[in-house]
Amino acid sequence: MRIKERYQQVISWFQENVPVAETELHYNNPYELLIAVILSAQCTDKRVNMITPPLYRDFPTPESLATTTPEVIFEYIRSVSYPNNKAKHLVGMAKMLVKDFNSKVPDKLDDLIKLPGVGRKTANVIQSVVFKKAAMAVDTHVFRVSHRIGLVPDKCTTPLSVEKELVKHIPEKLIGIAHHWLILHGRYICQARTPKCSVCGLQMMCKYFCNTYKVTKDSLKKP
């Protein structure tokens, strides 16, 4: 299957079967989403959603978060992965928002990645979800699913190379939702250790499935 045809089939399947796809992180404004995405690094959205309500309540603005300490924030987020580092990042992020961005979450990639705890993936999530830009955030799910389906070649070994390949082939107006399609598919179907191939609607267009189960065009023909 040619790459253009694979993309067309995969996108068509998602459009028909997953017409609505969005972040599962809970938030009420850009500042809260930024907090949630920083906390979600190597941590489940479910866990993040469990701990953020008290954090949002007690630190509702960048100013309030900027005036506390990492030690205080640690007590709110101690159940997430790497709580010490993330506590420092959150307080540092808030201080920079106040000092350099008039307490507003910036919308440009170069500005976002200046914030403590914000890498390219996090910045792209904010650009896509908050500012509706055509930004493709590549996390572990997107990275894995893109390779398994065959949307990106094996030579794409970094998140940035996967991002560039996906953006090159996915129509700009669909990049935002495509990010969520791939994340949710990886989270619930194309899981890392035990992919649920038997219930996956992408079987016949998936490189991993066809190679694993030796599926060929001839084997799909009716006798």
Side-chain angles (χ1 to χ4, degrees), residues 51 63 123 135 141 166 173 177 179 185 187 197-198 201 204 212:
I51 68 164
E63 289 86 355
H141 294 305
L166 292 173
K173 65 179 181 180
I177 192 171
H179 158 70
H185 195 70
R187 185 173 294 163
C197 295
S198 62
M204 295 303 105
T212 301

Side-chain angles (χ1 to χ4, degrees), residues 106-113 123 127 131 133:
D107 64 345
K108 295 180 180 178
L109 176 67
D110 290 344
D111 288 334
L112 284 164
I113 61 177
Q127 287 192 105
F131 300 108
K133 294 187 177 183

Side-chain angles (χ1 to χ4, degrees), residues 78-147:
R78 61 188 311 154
S79 64
V80 303
S81 57
Y82 308 107
N84 282 300
N85 285 339
K86 289 179 180 179
K88 294 176 183 177
H89 289 157
L90 289 179
V91 174
M93 173 272 290
K95 288 182 177 179
M96 187 172 287
L97 284 184
V98 173
K99 179 177 180 290
D100 297 337
F101 299 104
N102 196 31
S103 298
K104 303 293 183 182
V105 175
D107 64 345
K108 295 180 180 178
L109 176 67
D110 290 344
D111 288 334
L112 284 164
I113 61 177
K114 293 176 183 177
L115 299 169
V118 177
R120 187 178 181 91
K121 184 212 78 174
T122 299
N124 279 341
V125 171
I126 299 300
Q127 287 192 105
S128 175
V129 176
V130 174
F131 300 108
K132 310 303 179 185
K133 294 187 177 183
M136 173 59 71
V138 177
D139 67 354
T140 56
H141 294 305
V142 174
F143 189 89
R144 178 179 68 256
V145 173
S146 297
H147 279 94

Side-chain angles (χ1 to χ4, degrees), residues 28-203:
N28 298 297
N29 53 58
Y31 162 69
E32 289 184 356
L33 180 61
L34 182 54
I35 289 175
V37 180
I38 290 174
L39 290 173
S40 71
Q42 299 183 52
C43 187
T44 65
D45 287 1
K46 182 179 180 180
R47 170 59 56 183
V48 172
N49 290 335
M50 289 173 62
I51 68 164
T52 46
L55 195 61
Y56 295 161
R57 179 196 64 219
D58 294 347
F59 304 95
T61 64
E63 289 86 355
S64 59
L65 183 56
T67 56
T68 189
T69 66
E71 290 75 21
V72 171
I73 298 303
F74 175 86
E75 296 303 321
Y76 287 82
I77 68 170
R78 61 188 311 154
S79 64
V80 303
S81 57
Y82 308 107
N84 282 300
N85 285 339
K86 289 179 180 179
K88 294 176 183 177
H89 289 157
L90 289 179
V91 174
M93 173 272 290
K95 288 182 177 179
M96 187 172 287
L97 284 184
V98 173
K99 179 177 180 290
D100 297 337
F101 299 104
N102 196 31
S103 298
K104 303 293 183 182
V105 175
D107 64 345
K108 295 180 180 178
L109 176 67
D110 290 344
D111 288 334
L112 284 164
I113 61 177
K114 293 176 183 177
L115 299 169
V118 177
R120 187 178 181 91
K121 184 212 78 174
T122 299
N124 279 341
V125 171
I126 299 300
Q127 287 192 105
S128 175
V129 176
V130 174
F131 300 108
K132 310 303 179 185
K133 294 187 177 183
M136 173 59 71
V138 177
D139 67 354
T140 56
H141 294 305
V142 174
F143 189 89
R144 178 179 68 256
V145 173
S146 297
H147 279 94
R148 280 185 177 168
I149 294 176
L151 298 178
V152 300
D154 293 339
K155 66 180 181 180
C156 289
T157 57
T158 65
L160 180 57
S161 62
V162 170
E163 175 190 332
K164 289 181 177 179
E165 191 73 13
L166 292 173
V167 169
K168 183 170 68 176
H169 291 95
I170 298 174
E172 184 175 336
K173 65 179 181 180
L174 295 178
I175 289 175
I177 192 171
H179 158 70
H180 296 299
W181 282 337
L182 295 172
I183 284 181
L184 296 175
H185 195 70
R187 185 173 294 163
Y188 298 111
I189 302 296
C190 193
Q191 297 172 339
R193 294 185 179 181
T194 53
K196 300 178 181 179
C197 295
S198 62
V199 297
C200 178
L202 295 173
Q203 284 182 357

